[in-house]
Amino acid sequence: MKTLNVTFQELTKSGRKELASEIGRILSENLVEKPTNHNRPDDKETNHYRINLDTDAIFEIVSMFGDLEAGSLGLLNYEPTTAATFYARMLDKWNNLLSYR
């Protein structure tokens, strides 16, 4: 859920309203039901969602997080920062989704 919420926020900030709307739709319509014996049934952090975006949309999200990561690198020698590391993780999550297609 955190990944989708951050993605929604960053898409909105960057003016990609149509793609942000698709992420909002996923959050509201594509929750995967947890098993009845799940140990944390009410914990939103353990929610999973069915991501039904086309490849071009995922590439756009990957590109956005790549730009955010690069823009967050330190000024001297482009050293990693906390923000760059965070955006790199987001980039990896979306990039890994392409491997499952």
Side-chain angles (χ1 to χ4, degrees), residues 1 4 26-28 30-32 44 47-51:
M1 179 171 180
L4 290 173
I26 289 169
L27 283 165
S28 66
N30 290 7
L31 178 64
V32 175
K44 291 184 180 186
N47 286 350
H48 287 80
Y49 296 84
R50 188 174 55 259
I51 307 298

Side-chain angles (χ1 to χ4, degrees), residues 15-80:
R16 296 173 171 103
K17 293 178 184 176
E18 198 170 303
L19 193 46
S21 176
E22 283 296 302
I23 299 297
R25 177 192 56 76
I26 289 169
L27 283 165
S28 66
E29 297 175 6
N30 290 7
L31 178 64
V32 175
E33 190 174 323
K34 293 178 186 176
T36 54
N37 292 331
H38 194 279
N39 64 338
R40 293 172 25 196
D42 298 324
D43 183 359
K44 291 184 180 186
E45 290 300 314
T46 61
N47 286 350
H48 287 80
Y49 296 84
R50 188 174 55 259
I51 307 298
N52 55 349
L53 295 173
D54 64 30
T55 302
D56 289 341
I58 295 171
F59 274 127
E60 186 175 344
I61 293 168
V62 166
S63 177
M64 176 189 71
F65 281 118
D67 291 344
L68 288 167
E69 177 192 8
S72 298
L73 292 171
L75 298 175
L76 300 173
N77 299 322
Y78 299 105
E79 69 273 3

